[in-house]
Amino acid sequence: TLAKARERGADPFLVAGDLFEDNQVDESLVRSVVDRFRASAPLPIYLLPGNHDPDTGPDSVWERPAFRAVPSHVHVLRRAGVHELAPGVVLLASPLHQKLSTHDPSLKLAELSSGLGADVIKIGMTHGSPAIESRHQANDFPIALNAASRAGLDYLALGHWHSWMADLDGGRMVMPGTPEPDRFQADGAGRGAWVEGSGPQGALRVEPLEVASLHWRSAEFDLASVEASQATLDGLISGWRAAADRTVVRVTLGGMADPAELGRVRSWVDAALASFLVGQCVDQSRVMLSAAERAEMRARHPVLAGVLADIDRLESLATGTFPGAQAGLVPAVASDAEGALSLVDAKALLGPARIE
């Protein structure tokens, strides 16, 4: 991310909170991060404490020796305030000082902006959750959806959520997400936001920059059609293998298979994933037993037999069919021609399992 910022001539480079996972990170990591910033001179870098690394005083990461001796082009914004970036351009910052709060930290930006002239380009930076109905928690620093326009900002950089979001407040409020994805379903994580403005309250252009060093890939493997699933996965893996040393892959097995078939599939998948940085096989399959195997298990394990019988009854209720009736596993009840359960049928299934 820093390299791309330098290549493009960024001025400034903003980190809108959560540079660190928490205030207890190892000292060697802190020194490594500061060393990277030092090597990026003269790129102006502005760091904001977020809710994971809030400025809580002496115990915060910002009090570490490495941050007490940062070079002059690195600025840690530990207090709310206005910072001149260039003639006629200011940065308004509202950092966090605790992990949780019901207070909107962007309100401070409106207060800071009130004394600035209309001819000044105003860039804001804070950290919290856009107050989107059902998508935020009340104690997670809720930020008004009009926070940028409310404060008269040309652009508001937000940190906190891990996914890309650039359509807030008419496009003037941007949540770039994490520069590295940290899960398989990351919704556009792995980006930085390149922002260009045309002047006070002028047009704004926001471009997502791909900065992630790792690729996260996932695939489903349906055991109901092993050959087709194997061919599909083989094609996907062939396309991912060019960057195998930077790729995290997860394959999820689903469906039913007998133990021998499942073992063969697991062996094939494990071998196919061996070349990747991380290869994970998640087994969500169900074991398919023969009638003889089921009968033997029931005979040898009475408790298990009862559990399996209850599962059969529940499956019958869900599907309207009686897969175990022929083998004497569920009551032989009569359903209509279309397989729908009548009330009498349902009671017959539920009664032995004591399910109301």
Side-chain angles (χ1 to χ4, degrees), residues 129-142:
S129 297
I132 301 173
E133 189 67 29
S134 78
R135 292 188 60 183
H136 79 288
Q137 297 179 346
N139 65 346
D140 200 23
F141 300 95

Side-chain angles (χ1 to χ4, degrees), residues 123-338:
I123 300 171
M125 184 163 62
T126 192
H127 191 93
S129 297
I132 301 173
E133 189 67 29
S134 78
R135 292 188 60 183
H136 79 288
Q137 297 179 346
N139 65 346
D140 200 23
F141 300 95
I143 294 176
L145 299 182
N146 66 339
S149 55
R150 179 178 63 186
L153 302 177
D154 295 279
Y155 168 63
L156 175 54
L158 294 181
H160 192 34
W161 288 356
H162 293 201
S163 301
W164 174 270
M165 185 176 293
D167 57 352
L168 301 168
D169 203 357
R172 293 192 179 275
M173 191 159 70
V174 177
M175 179 89 70
T178 55
E180 284 288 343
D182 58 357
R183 58 179 66 94
F184 287 97
Q185 304 300 327
D187 300 327
R191 299 171 173 178
W194 178 264
V195 182
E196 295 180 348
S198 59
Q201 296 302 301
L204 196 70
R205 189 178 78 88
V206 179
E207 176 189 352
L209 291 183
E210 299 293 336
V211 297
S213 60
L214 298 181
H215 306 292
W216 292 60
R217 310 297 188 196
S218 61
E220 306 289 330
F221 193 109
D222 186 359
L223 291 165
S225 51
V226 172
E227 289 187 7
S229 295
Q230 187 169 327
T232 299
L233 181 58
D234 194 39
L236 291 173
I237 286 176
S238 295
W240 300 337
R241 195 165 279 129
D245 61 334
R246 296 186 293 112
T247 302
V248 179
V249 181
R250 180 179 67 189
V251 175
T252 302
L253 305 182
M256 296 182 66
D258 64 69
E261 177 78 329
L262 180 58
R264 287 192 294 271
V265 170
R266 282 296 304 261
S267 295
W268 182 86
V269 171
D270 289 342
L273 299 181
S275 64
F276 292 96
L277 177 66
V278 176
Q280 179 186 48
C281 183
V282 179
D283 190 352
Q284 296 182 351
S285 66
R286 292 181 295 161
V287 177
M288 182 169 59
L289 302 175
S290 67
E293 289 171 326
R294 290 168 69 94
E296 181 182 2
M297 290 182 68
R298 284 178 165 80
R300 297 178 60 180
H301 305 284
V303 174
L304 177 60
V307 172
L308 291 175
D310 288 347
I311 291 173
D312 283 334
R313 294 184 181 100
L314 292 172
E315 183 176 359
S316 298
L317 285 169
T319 63
T321 60
F322 306 97
Q326 294 78 7
L329 304 181
V330 297
V333 297
S335 62
D336 61 29
E338 296 181 356

